[in-house]
Amino acid sequence: MKACFMGLGYIGLPTAIIAAKSGIDIIGVDINSKVVEQTNAGHLHIVEPGLEKLLQEVVKSGKLIAATTPQECDAYFIVVPTPFKGNHQPDISYVENATRMVLPLLKPGNLFVIESTSPVGTTEQMAELIYTERPELKGNIHIAYCPERVLPGNVIYELVNNDRVIGGIDEDSTTHAIEFYSQFVKGQLHRTNARTAELCKLTENSSRDVQIAFANELSMICEQAGINVWDLINLANKHPRVNILQPGCGVGGHCIAVDPYFITAAYPEQAKIIAQAREINNYKAQWCAEKVKNAMLKFELDNRRKPVVAMMGLAFKPNIDDLRESPAKRITTEVLQSKSNADILVVEPNITEHNVFKLTPYNEAYDRADIVVFLTAHNEFKTLEWRDDKVILDFCGIFRK
Ligand code: SAJ
């Protein structure tokens, strides 16, 4: 069995490595020649614990070879990004381009699987594209959709142990795709059709977005009501059928802050809660930025000098170095641009330097600041003691009991 993975990013590369480790011959394709060179040299270009060692093993054994163009294989996997364009419309051009790259290589009996998060109908659309260009393949190749579900940081475990949803454009395609994944997935492989599998991926991330929006809405209600939101959620969660998530300074990353738009763009009349949740989570970052600016003004009025402000955390979630779609970064940028002339210290313990922000060590910033704004709940921040002599804006529950 020889398989080709189109896209060697956060998902494509780990999946290619795990598949190669299970004995499948893998060609990993990326349009970025630097990524290809690095991969063939056994160097990981993404941050993922334990993965570099596995990469080196499969490169050494010859099971994984990276290249900038695909080769003839038995199975092809599309694992490229699906960002959104202006107006929150999904951009499936990477999926289409990768499909066009493998089109001339396809043979009867091949398996073609899309893993990229995609709007409903994308798999059928790519099937149509394949049949239009290669009519002789109609009814002769297996086409399916199989989304990934892994959490960065725990990818090696989750790729093998998570259940997966697999939906073919027909029953035979589903069966062939299940056969492929069963070579390295220990979790259950659940059969469905392509459209359901596509919406299932979008549903999972939208569900989390809606639940976080509920927590964020509660945090704003609590602020108005003079109630500690962390205590409130903790108490409400003592109910056997209530499980509220945690509020924060907004929702970031390349999944939860993006995927719900794939539903709202296609079904604007029906997707009311999903659209509202996106708005609430985006608004929460704006709300936090306003709170910081107001605290700075008040400090200046009370003390007749500009405050020193510490912005604690830039990453989109705790204990990672990933700043993609980060609300913490957005808030920090807005505070820096507020032209207050205050001394603003930016802190992110998981990165050593940044081309825009001058970074300050977290304990130095905490010591020096008059106003401390906690944006991301990194473990380092939880070691700090509460200080009554500072104005503390704790948006992510560092000091919750
Ligand atoms: N967040 C909160 N409150 C919470 C939990 C999270 O505000 O209680 C925020 C985080 O701070 C962050 C954002 O939500 O800004 C997203 O973080 P996350 O840990 O919930 O998720 P991601 O984006 O790292 O990964 C998600 C996962 N999906 C689900 O949990 C349903 C992962 O399994 C998916 O594989 C991934 O999206 C993806 O690739 O789609």
Side-chain angles (χ1 to χ4, degrees):
M1 166 62 98
K2 194 170 168 187
C4 179
F5 278 77
M6 301 297 291
L8 293 178
Y10 276 92
I11 303 301
L13 183 56
T15 314
I17 294 171
I18 298 287
K21 187 92 179 84
S22 77
I24 306 165
D25 286 308
I26 303 289
I27 303 296
V29 178
D30 205 289
I31 50 172
N32 184 338
S33 55
K34 256 188 159 163
V35 166
V36 169
E37 274 166 38
Q38 243 181 295
T39 305
N40 283 331
H43 297 309
L44 206 61
H45 75 94
I46 56 172
V47 179
E48 185 59 43
L51 196 64
E52 189 160 81
K53 195 174 150 275
L54 292 186
L55 171 66
Q56 285 164 1
E57 279 176 37
V58 292
V59 166
K60 203 167 160 218
S61 66
K63 283 284 169 194
L64 172 66
I65 298 169
T68 50
T69 49
Q71 296 177 11
E72 260 191 28
C73 285
D74 305 299
Y76 298 87
F77 295 82
I78 308 296
V79 202
V80 293
T82 35
F84 57 71
K85 300 181 269 199
N87 212 6
H88 296 136
Q89 296 293 321
D91 174 6
I92 60 161
S93 62
Y94 294 87
V95 173
E96 191 177 326
N97 290 340
T99 303
R100 284 188 188 279
M101 277 174 88
V102 302
L103 244 170
L105 305 172
L106 293 174
K107 293 186 304 289
N110 281 173
L111 174 66
F112 173 89
V113 178
I114 301 175
E115 283 204 8
S116 307
T117 303
S118 300
V120 175
T122 304
T123 311
E124 289 169 349
Q125 239 175 288
M126 291 308 114
E128 270 319 302
L129 173 69
I130 293 170
Y131 301 150
T132 307
E133 303 285 323
R134 302 277 311 274
E136 77 281 11
L137 291 175
K138 189 153 191 175
N140 289 322
I141 62 164
H142 310 295
I143 300 178
Y145 182 74
C146 178
E148 59 76 23
R149 289 173 152 173
V150 295
L151 205 64
N154 198 26
V155 164
I156 300 176
Y157 177 85
E158 294 205 2
L159 260 180
V160 173
N161 292 287
N162 286 356
D163 281 14
R164 292 187 82 146
V165 170
I166 300 185
I169 54 162
D170 51 42
E171 290 292 334
D172 214 24
S173 294
T174 311
T175 304
H176 276 81
I178 287 182
E179 266 168 27
F180 179 86
Y181 284 98
S182 62
Q183 297 176 94
F184 59 90
V185 176
K186 288 193 194 138
Q188 275 193 49
L189 302 170
H190 302 273
R191 291 184 78 92
T192 182
N193 55 46
R195 293 173 74 84
T196 309
E198 287 161 345
L199 188 56
C200 187
K201 170 68 191 180
L202 303 178
T203 299
E204 290 159 14
N205 282 350
S206 300
S207 149
R208 201 157 164 83
D209 199 41
V210 168
Q211 291 181 56
I212 298 168
F214 182 68
N216 278 334
E217 183 163 293
L218 283 177
S219 72
M220 294 184 278
I221 293 170
C222 281
E223 210 253 354
Q224 205 63 30
I227 290 169
N228 180 317
V229 68
W230 315 101
D231 287 348
L232 172 82
I233 290 176
N234 187 28
L235 292 169
N237 282 348
K238 302 288 181 210
H239 185 291
R241 284 170 298 280
V242 173
N243 188 13
I244 303 167
L245 291 177
Q246 302 302 310
C249 67
V251 167
H254 248 218
C255 309
I256 296 185
V258 175
D259 298 356
Y261 291 122
F262 289 18
I263 298 183
T264 57
Y267 310 100
E269 284 305 311
Q270 293 78 18
K272 301 290 186 221
I273 293 181
I274 297 171
Q276 189 72 34
R278 277 285 66 242
E279 276 179 28
I280 292 169
N281 286 333
N282 284 338
Y283 173 68
K284 182 68 193 286
Q286 190 56 42
W287 185 88
C288 293
E290 289 306 320
K291 293 276 165 217
V292 180
K293 289 193 268 183
N294 287 341
M296 286 161 68
L297 273 177
K298 181 168 186 315
F299 183 94
E300 200 177 337
L301 286 174
D302 292 349
N303 298 278
R304 292 170 190 280
R305 69 171 173 89
K306 303 266 182 203
V308 177
V309 184
M311 303 298 288
M312 307 290 275
L314 284 176
F316 86 83
K317 68 178 190 176
N319 309 317
I320 58 164
D321 63 350
D322 193 339
L323 310 188
R324 290 179 299 174
E325 306 288 329
S326 169
K329 186 174 137 192
R330 213 157 56 233
I331 295 164
T332 301
T333 305
E334 183 155 344
V335 170
L336 280 166
Q337 288 170 348
S338 64
K339 298 195 178 69
S340 68
N341 292 326
D343 191 4
I344 314 249
L345 310 173
V346 180
V347 175
E348 179 41 72
N350 296 293
I351 53 180
T352 43
E353 54 180 350
H354 191 272
N355 54 4
V356 175
F357 305 106
K358 180 178 171 294
L359 300 175
T360 304
Y362 72 95
N363 30 20
E364 181 191 326
Y366 192 56
D367 260 354
R368 279 180 52 200
D370 304 300
I371 300 175
V372 187
V373 184
F374 287 103
L375 298 165
T376 314
H378 292 312
N379 285 341
E380 288 85 347
F381 302 162
K382 294 182 182 164
T383 64
L384 299 167
E385 299 269 325
W386 177 272
R387 295 247 316 244
D388 282 328
D389 58 332
K390 297 181 186 294
V391 176
I392 295 181
L393 300 180
D394 184 4
F395 295 129
C396 54
I398 295 293
F399 293 110
R400 87 183 95 152
K401 280 185 218 86

